Amino acid sequence: TQNITIAPGATTSYSVTVTDGNGCTAADAMTVTVGNATVEVGPSQTICLGETATITANSNAGVSYAWSNGANTQTIIVSPNTTTVYSVTVTDGNGCTATDNTTVTVGSTNVNAGPDQVICLGESTTVNASSTNAVFYQWSNGATTQNITVAPGATTSYSVTVTDANGCTAADAMTVTVGN
């Protein structure tokens, strides 16, 4: 036939010979190049607010990169304020494309140990670590609860470090002054 439809699985050469009504022949050939772009950006990442994440588009034949944040390099460094999905489309030298995406989860926490307090000798007071997203509390006196009740014999500083579910931390301190 004059036309053929092809869908080769790999780069393939094709040749054709034509014969006219007088028995004269002519031949020609062509090659169909099959592109096969692939890309892998790796697993999702978790960072703490203010940190950066590096994402690399690992491609078998990437010629151009188009990221969802507008970047056009193979590797991007991002510092999002909230959990964000980043996708990349890779185009190979044959115009074939592949797309992949990954999520950067942003964790954050904060803590406020409250104002300094004054108590009389022999009294106790409760210190409250007010926090957002904290799942673990670590006080300088070894306690691991949100609130601690203290009865120091002398003026004492108490610090607390909190950790969120993503491993992000925050710290604060306060002082209990003991009067006579």
Side-chain angles (χ1 to χ4, degrees):
T1 62
Q2 183 177 355
N3 299 308
I4 62 171
T5 301
I6 55 174
T11 299
T12 306
S13 294
Y14 296 90
S15 62
V16 62
T17 302
V18 294
T19 305
D20 68 9
N22 296 320
C24 298
T25 62
D28 198 5
M30 67 172 289
T31 300
V32 175
T33 302
V34 177
N36 183 20
T38 63
V39 64
E40 170 64 41
V41 294
S44 295
Q45 300 180 43
T46 299
I47 63 171
C48 297
L49 187 63
E51 294 179 345
T52 61
T54 301
I55 308 169
T56 299
N58 295 307
S59 176
N60 66 335
V63 172
S64 69
Y65 304 87
W67 289 92
S68 55
N69 69 348
N72 60 5
T73 56
Q74 184 176 7
T75 299
I76 60 172
I77 299 172
V78 296
S79 184
N81 293 326
T82 61
T83 297
T84 305
V85 176
Y86 294 91
S87 63
V88 63
T89 299
V90 174
T91 304
D92 70 9
N94 298 307
C96 299
T97 61
T99 301
D100 196 17
N101 63 57
T102 190
T103 301
V104 176
T105 300
V106 179
S108 69
T109 189
N110 57 38
V111 65
N112 182 344
D116 292 346
Q117 297 183 32
V118 177
I119 63 171
C120 295
L121 186 61
E123 292 180 342
S124 65
T125 188
T126 299
V127 182
N128 178 29
S130 174
S131 178
T132 307
N133 301 326
V135 295
F136 181 74
Y137 297 83
Q138 182 64 58
W139 288 91
S140 55
N141 68 352
T144 57
T145 56
Q146 181 176 357
N147 302 312
I148 60 173
T149 300
V150 296
T155 298
T156 305
S157 290
Y158 297 93
S159 62
V160 62
T161 300
V162 297
T163 306
D164 74 1
N166 297 304
C168 301
T169 61
D172 194 23
M174 58 84 62
T175 301
V176 174
T177 302
V178 178
N180 291 329

